[in-house]
Amino acid sequence: LYDGKVSFSGKGPFAVANTITEGPFVNLLTHEGATISFETNQKTVATIKVGDKSFASKGLQTHHEILLKGLKPSTTYNYTINYGGQELTYSFTTAPRKGTRGHFVFSYGSDSRNGNGGGERNVYGANFYIMKKMMALNKHKNVAFAQFSGDLIDGYLQNKGEINLQYANWKRAVEPFSHYFPVYISMGNHEALS
């Protein structure tokens, strides 16, 4: 409830409505499309409308990876996700055609492990504060993509549940911005499960 990850319907008694609990994320960006991924709390067939094109998930599911294709290169598109009667609209820009010469902006960062100062600088393994600031600047500068090369979390844990919680905290920090551009990550030494 605190993070706004549960939707309700009705006027009382209330019922839990279909909700996107994670994402959407722009992934696998190409010159003619992208894959949009997200999780829902209930099994549903989700659709994404881009211009006059419509794309759907494969049957009832909670994990959705929907390939958007047949789009124009270097073009900004609004995309509207419909999931169980709910709708959300975001946008992304397709990549330029291969071999195109032109300028673009991207960001590069690494090492967002928790920091000193408490509060949002230390949200169980992740520096939530700095990641939100970096992602907001990326959105402001209209980056084509963000590259984040390792040490996302403190890591070096023995319990898989604990390391997954740290990853979830990092993902929550970048999530509001990765609706609009891809965030490509790679592993560092702190992504270790001992």
Side-chain angles (χ1 to χ4, degrees), residues 113-138:
R113 297 176 296 122
N114 74 16
N116 295 326
E120 285 191 326
R121 289 174 175 81
N122 185 359
V123 179
Y124 199 68
N127 192 328
F128 201 89
Y129 175 81
I130 199 66
M131 287 311 302
K132 280 193 329 187
K133 296 292 184 188
M134 288 172 60
M135 290 297 123
L137 180 60
N138 287 339

Side-chain angles (χ1 to χ4, degrees), residues 141-186:
K141 295 289 187 177
N142 200 29
V143 299
F145 64 90
Q147 171 66 46
F148 204 87
S149 295
D151 292 353
L152 287 70
I153 58 172
D154 280 344
Y156 285 115
L157 297 166
Q158 294 180 352
N159 181 295
K160 188 175 181 183
E162 284 184 276
I163 205 163
N164 284 340
L165 177 59
Q166 289 190 5
Y167 283 130
N169 291 331
W170 190 88
K171 195 185 283 186
R172 286 280 189 255
V174 303
E175 183 178 41
F177 306 98
S178 56
H179 306 321
Y180 302 97
F181 57 85
V183 178
Y184 298 112
I185 62 170
S186 59

